[in-house]
Amino acid sequence: MLPTVRPGNPNFGSGPTAKRPGWSLAALEGALLGRSHRAAVPKARLGEVIDRSRTILGIPADYRVGILPGSDTGAFECAMWSLLGARGIDVVTFESFGEGWLTDIEKQLKLTDARAMTAPYGELPDLSAVDPARDTVFCWNGTTSGVRVPDGGWIRDDRAGLTLCDATSAAFAMPLPWPKLDVVTWSWQKVLGGEAQHGMLVLSPRAVERLESHRPAWPMPKLFRLTKGGKLMEGIFKGETINTPSMLAVEDALDGLRWAESIGGLPALTERCERGLGAIAAWVERSEWAGFLAKRAEIRSPTSVCLSIVDPTFAALGATGQQAFVEDMCGLLAEHRVAYDIQSYRDAPAGLRIWCGATVETADVETLLPWLDWAYAQTRSRLA
Ligand SMILES: Cc1ncc(COP(=O)(O)O)c(C=O)c1O
């Protein structure tokens, strides 16, 4: 039966994600548009993004926090291009973005001493096999598989290598153990629902040491240059961006950060994500057709919640039929303005991915669930 109530906000896609509750264009009215980002007042706004991010996330005072071009990809590639090559690298991959970083390392940087530690979608590789003498590259939360590393216990405090952590869909959604992490990146378009544009780069003192002592074997584009004359360009970490930022996107990022503070900071953000996942978990428990792609609860992501279809009829469709089924199902949900963009990522197994980041209301997730049952039943009944 067609459910009667629609979610208040049908934006359940994994990025750009839903704007914070109550957001409207009015939030951007104070944006410093048409002005130089290097003038004192606009530069202070950029600095404010850095300071508020540091405070909410509990980033240690001796870590640098900077705003980079090119969203998370820009920030993470800048880190890899700037830091890698000094040691062997363990690349932990368990979904598409980690695979992408491995491709960069092997095919673009052409580093030969890279060990891929790979797990299929829904699982994690054996993290105890990571060698602390080598650099480690990994995603904290695999947005396309709905798997996260459970904690930082597998990272040694006395490691000689650096840990490079892509935390795009983890920052502001789960605690990050800063002393275990030397490089952390994220983008504005994820957990706080900001506009896509810029990436954030966090560097530990050891990462800065590496930057100042290691000269990469390849040419460095201006967009990736963090040092000058062998010294860190400290200005980047005070809001002096490498190139021109969008002050409109800056204003929106600040709006998200202020909202995060107003609801209680990281504990409240984390709780909102966990509640969304909890609502889906209770429904999965009763469901005859849906299951989690990540079978183990302790590695299940509370932001990008990935679901498989466990009905044997679906399994019998084969890969192409399964894709078509999910497309039809998601088409129905979009047509009814109930859920947009919840089809699993193009490289992941066919299924659903429901974003439950901090800006998503749990009540909306709960309202969506009967619609999923309805859309599934409709799509299944159309099979010949
Ligand atoms: C884990 C991860 N890394 C990197 C990216 C790329 O982010 P961006 O498009 O903001 O550069 C994403 C985007 O979803 C992601 O989920």
Side-chain angles (χ1 to χ4, degrees), residues 254-277:
L254 276 176
D255 174 74
L257 290 163
R258 290 193 194 112
W259 170 76
E261 287 160 7
S262 76
I263 63 163
L266 189 58
L269 296 167
T270 304
E271 203 220 319
R272 286 176 66 86
C273 301
E274 294 288 348
R275 264 199 279 141
L277 169 63

Side-chain angles (χ1 to χ4, degrees), residues 70-73 97 101 139 141 143 166 168-169 187 189-190:
S71 208
D72 178 79
T73 309
F97 286 101
W101 305 144
C139 297
N141 185 86
T143 321
D166 169 359
T168 309
S169 49
S187 48
Q189 51 94 5
K190 277 284 184 286

